[in-house]
Amino acid sequence: MTPAPASMRRFLLLAWVLAGLVAGGLALLLGAGPAAAWLWSAAALPVAVHVAIGLVRSLAGGRIGVDAVALAAILAAVALDEAAAAAVIGLMVAGGEALEAWAEGRATGALTALMARAPRRTARIDGEAISEIDVADIRPRDLLLVRPGETVPADGTLEDDAATLDESALTGEPLPATFRRHAALRSGGVNAGAAFRMRATQDAAASTYAAILRLTQEAAAARAPLARMADRWALGFVGATAVLAGGAWALSGDPVRALAVLVVATPCPLILAAPVALVAGIGRAARRGIVVKGGGALERLARIRTVLFDKTGTLTPGQPRLAAIDADPALGRDGALRLAAALAQASTHPVSAALVAAAVARGIDPPLPQDAAEVAGGGVMGRVDASTLMLGSEGFLHAAGIDPRNGFGLVAQVAVAAGSIAWLAMDGRIAAAFVMSDGLRPDAPRAVRRLRALGVRRIALVTGDRAAAAQAVGRALRLDQVFADQSPADKIALVRAEAAAAPTAMVGDGVNDAPALAAADVGIAMGAAGTAAAAEAGDVVLLVDRVDRAAEAIAIARRSRRVALQAIGIGMGLSGVAMVAAALGFLTPLAGAVLQEGIDVLAILHALTALRPGAEERLGADLPPQAGIEERRAEHAGLRQLAESLRSAGEAIDADDAAPHLAEIVARLRDDLLPHQRAEERALYPEAAARLGGQDPMAPLIRMHAEIEAQVERLAALLRLAEGESWHVAAPELRRTLFSLEALLRLHLGIEEEMLADLR
């Protein structure tokens, strides 16, 4: 017969004590006092045996807790004919352990849910046949069928046009995500749409979900330092109890008074309050896509005062994007991007992919290149629209006898800070330069500001990247210090030096970050898109690809530790008062047992408040559909293109076709931008203000709306004057207004997106 789980045994023990108490009470009502005493003793003694077994195990492990007081109280109550008190003490002990089992079950719900959702069987496609296999039999290159409601069994790539996955258990994001053909799929997501085919790239044991399960098991098995600290307090508590009980007996000559002290000094579930609070914090973090490897890591996280960030893949996405274009005026920016994207389609380089993505985002449909050939590490060449094109690095063009910097020195200087340059040559001469940069993650500024609000005193950047690129990130995020050109060994030395000055966390994602993560007091790994080495080395793993979850993890840890200490203080403080009252003779053993039961339950229930977010963690809330936040966000892409048009119009203000082009832009401003702003002020901003708090949080954005509207009207008025008077007289003022409006619009969009980032 399979033995009952430990939690089930706790509930069975509680049921036994309750049955004995009720039976004894009925016997007493029927006038059978001796039988009642026997029934109450029978109810209490199995609890004494249970406690004794646990005490022996604790002593073997070098620990002693308040279980010793509980055991002494039960045995003394039976010996002194206080069987009812013994039964109530037994109820207190059994009830506290049952409550702990329920609390742990609730607190670890998010972690156990990950285990329960682990797939065991899957469908493999072999030619025309579909066979059911164990997940353990999946091998790379297997073609798998994932049906509706099934869990993705292994990492792989999507073979069909689209798939919809619910990854909430992995990332904490509530909405299903849509993936397109050849997208990378992570094991553990649930198919929330139609059946789809995928090609496995890993076996199940090496996939994302298996790694998450290993992290979960480590988190559940670890013992918290705070619990050990509670055990040390318990040792002093046991000594104080013995002295107080012995003193009460000696001064009064009544052993029952000593028993009363022992009874109220029996907070067995009290010392469990600390781990319950920490486990609650671990569970709540898991629901937000943050895996904390045990209570020890959670407690260390709560003490962090210095945070060090890696750059690439942590504060930046780690993927190049198009930041700026400098093109021959005869070709134009869009024309240059069209040619570059056409040629880039023949390359697998990340810069090429970024150029194609930028062209698609602007509504440009690049043609297919002819005779295209890629030179590894250099660039790509081919023919587009009967022109011979070369796209690549400066050295690539130099090798063909073309000087890239001729006429493009300014862009080259900007690129030193912004990133790198992809040069485009057409028919043997430079036609355009594309400045590529790895911009900040959208959530990075918010992550830094929130860390400051949490009291983190020092935030620095530690990267192996060049100093110019690192300093640009440091300035944008207002970091305290930037350490560039750092090797893995340099990072370890730097982390150790910072940790010697203050508790330090390191946040990173790459293989080269793993040693630094392990050296820090707390290593926080970007596990969603990072490497397995970083995830294994980190004490905390962020399963959602958002760096601001690092700040959220610290907020959860601080609240959990604070609640744990409060629960210990409440229980031990109230128990101390009750012990003094018992020693002075104000409490009988039975009354003391009932009172202590209430104290213990109160301490455990307070520990469970760690399951709820604290005030410092509440960052906004869901908006009603009528607020239209998703529609406004979707319109921002078009508004950014409109800002690009403003800049292009300002640069081409002296062209022959400037007037009709400018009239078209004014019409777009009135038809697209101004209605967008009015819709925000009418529906979105009032709802956002109610959730962000403060006296008038949206006032700066509304003020910027008013200034943008004024600039639009100024632009329209200047255009009317320019068409009626000499164009060249009005052109300088038109150019200034266009550039001013472009800068204001870009700034407004960026600020608005950051302010509303936590609302949805």
Side-chain angles (χ1 to χ4, degrees):
M1 181 176 178
T2 304
S7 59
M8 182 60 67
R9 288 198 296 271
R10 294 176 180 180
F11 288 110
L12 289 175
L13 188 62
L14 175 61
W16 172 267
V17 177
L18 280 172
L21 269 171
V22 172
L26 290 174
L28 186 63
L29 289 175
L30 295 174
W38 184 88
L39 287 169
W40 286 330
S41 298
L45 288 174
V47 178
V49 172
H50 171 75
V51 172
I53 293 172
L55 183 60
V56 169
R57 290 174 178 169
S58 297
L59 291 172
R63 293 181 289 110
I64 186 171
V66 290
D67 290 343
V69 178
L71 179 60
I74 293 174
L75 295 178
V78 172
L80 294 173
D81 293 327
E82 293 282 350
V88 174
I89 297 170
L91 176 65
M92 178 176 57
V93 173
E97 292 200 3
L99 179 61
E100 177 216 357
W102 170 80
E104 287 185 346
R106 183 180 172 193
T108 59
L111 299 180
T112 55
L114 289 173
M115 303 290 292
R117 291 174 61 258
R120 292 171 175 78
R121 302 277 292 175
T122 191
R124 182 169 61 194
I125 301 175
D126 297 305
E128 298 297 324
I130 298 178
S131 58
E132 293 288 330
I133 63 170
D134 289 335
V135 167
D137 294 332
I138 295 175
R139 295 293 178 266
R141 302 297 303 164
D142 280 354
L143 185 62
L144 307 176
L145 177 65
V146 182
R147 290 163 289 214
E150 291 185 341
T151 301
V152 176
D155 293 350
T157 56
L158 180 61
E159 292 292 307
D160 290 327
D161 291 336
T164 302
L165 295 180
D166 176 4
E167 295 190 314
S168 57
L170 299 178
T171 66
E173 296 294 332
L175 299 178
T178 300
F179 297 84
R180 301 299 178 189
R181 181 184 291 272
H182 303 315
L185 303 181
R186 292 184 296 169
S187 59
V190 176
N191 184 6
F196 61 84
R197 297 171 303 152
M198 61 172 289
R199 183 78 63 180
T201 55
Q202 302 274 2
D203 58 31
S207 290
T208 301
Y209 200 65
I212 293 172
L213 294 182
R214 287 195 296 272
L215 296 176
T216 300
Q217 291 164 344
E218 290 176 15
R223 177 173 167 80
L226 192 62
R228 288 195 293 269
M229 180 174 64
D231 289 342
R232 291 195 297 272
W233 289 358
L235 181 60
F237 190 72
V238 169
T241 299
V243 171
L244 189 58
W249 188 357
L251 293 176
S252 67
D254 184 3
V256 174
R257 190 171 293 190
L259 173 61
V261 174
L262 290 177
V263 167
V264 295
T266 314
C268 296
L270 166 63
I271 306 303
L272 298 173
V276 164
L278 296 183
V279 171
I282 292 171
R284 192 154 57 81
R287 289 195 296 273
R288 296 292 296 158
I290 304 165
V291 172
V292 182
K293 297 182 182 179
L298 193 76
E299 189 188 356
R300 293 196 304 276
L301 191 62
R303 296 194 176 105
I304 291 301
R305 291 295 179 270
T306 297
V307 176
L308 307 177
F309 284 101
D310 174 49
K311 183 180 81 71
T312 305
T314 303
L315 292 177
T316 66
Q319 298 175 345
R321 65 175 180 84
L322 180 61
I325 306 174
D326 192 5
D328 188 327
L331 184 60
R333 288 190 175 87
D334 285 351
L337 182 57
R338 175 180 174 273
L339 294 177
L343 194 56
Q345 293 175 109
S347 170
T348 59
H349 195 277
V351 169
S352 297
L355 289 171
V356 174
V360 172
R362 296 188 186 203
I364 298 172
D365 185 15
L368 292 176
Q370 298 175 342
D371 304 323
E374 184 173 12
V375 177
V380 60
M381 62 182 67
R383 294 181 59 81
V384 177
D385 294 344
S387 297
T388 300
L389 301 180
M390 297 183 67
L391 176 68
S393 64
E394 182 177 345
F396 178 60
L397 269 67
H398 267 305
I402 302 172
D403 182 8
R405 296 178 181 270
N406 184 20
F408 292 90
L410 180 61
V411 170
Q413 293 175 34
V414 172
V416 172
S420 59
I421 289 184
W423 301 91
L424 176 68
M426 183 170 64
D427 296 329
R429 60 181 180 82
I430 290 294
F434 302 92
V435 179
M436 312 301 298
S437 70
D438 184 14
L440 292 175
R441 288 177 176 269
D443 54 314
R446 188 168 59 259
V448 173
R449 290 196 300 270
R450 191 172 182 196
L451 287 172
R452 301 279 191 204
L454 288 170
V456 174
R457 293 190 292 265
R458 178 170 166 79
I459 305 175
L461 177 64
V462 183
T463 178
D465 205 352
R466 55 197 173 86
Q471 290 291 348
V473 171
R475 283 193 301 271
L477 294 177
R478 323 311 291 171
L479 302 182
D480 296 310
Q481 196 165 355
V482 173
F483 300 94
D485 299 309
Q486 300 288 303
S487 68
D490 294 333
K491 287 185 178 182
I492 292 177
L494 182 60
V495 168
R496 287 175 175 165
E498 294 286 346
T504 299
M506 173 73 193
V507 187
D509 74 311
V511 172
N512 63 332
D513 297 321
L517 293 175
D521 294 304
V522 177
I524 303 177
M526 302 287 291
T531 64
E536 292 293 334
D539 302 289
V540 178
V541 182
L542 308 182
L543 301 181
V544 60
D545 195 24
R546 293 179 57 130
V547 72
D548 60 348
R549 292 293 167 89
E552 186 173 352
I554 292 177
I556 290 173
R558 289 189 178 178
R559 170 163 171 76
S560 300
R561 184 174 185 272
R562 183 168 61 250
V563 169
L565 292 173
Q566 289 170 351
I568 290 175
I570 288 171
M572 297 189 79
L574 292 177
S575 293
V577 172
M579 288 166 61
V580 172
L584 296 175
F586 294 116
L587 286 175
T588 65
L590 182 58
V594 173
L595 176 62
Q596 188 58 52
E597 176 77 13
I599 292 173
D600 293 336
V601 170
L602 179 63
I604 294 291
L605 290 178
H606 184 78
L608 282 174
T609 62
L611 286 167
R612 298 196 307 267
E616 69 276 15
E617 299 172 55
R618 299 190 182 102
L619 294 179
D622 290 353
L623 293 173
Q626 59 267 27
I629 189 170
E630 295 303 330
E631 292 85 346
R632 303 291 83 78
R633 282 173 173 163
E635 292 167 358
H636 277 201
L639 296 180
R640 283 196 165 83
Q641 292 181 17
L642 183 55
E644 181 71 22
S645 299
L646 291 169
R647 182 160 66 106
S648 299
E651 292 173 344
I653 200 69
D654 295 323
D656 293 338
D657 61 346
H661 182 50
L662 193 52
E664 179 184 343
I665 289 177
V666 170
R668 288 179 61 193
L669 289 169
R670 286 176 166 169
D671 295 341
D672 297 339
L673 176 60
L674 299 187
H676 169 88
Q677 294 187 162
R678 287 192 290 270
E680 287 182 328
E681 293 181 22
R682 182 178 60 254
L684 175 57
Y685 284 7
E687 295 286 352
R691 285 153 179 79
L692 293 175
Q695 292 185 350
D696 193 6
M698 311 310 292
L701 295 182
I702 295 174
R703 179 67 184 86
M704 294 178 78
H705 276 181
E707 182 61 28
I708 288 172
E709 188 171 341
Q711 290 284 352
V712 170
E713 293 306 316
R714 175 181 175 81
L715 183 63
L718 283 169
L719 179 59
R720 288 193 300 269
L721 291 172
E723 290 174 336
E725 303 292 337
S726 176
W727 181 269
H728 74 276
V729 174
E733 194 61 33
L734 280 168
R735 181 183 290 110
R736 281 193 292 271
T737 303
L738 286 165
F739 288 161
S740 174
L741 184 55
E742 179 222 355
L744 183 59
L745 179 56
R746 290 185 186 276
L747 179 63
H748 173 75
L749 292 175
I751 293 175
E752 183 177 83
E753 287 171 356
E754 282 198 31
M755 285 187 67
L756 304 180
D758 287 303
L759 302 179
R760 58 180 182 270

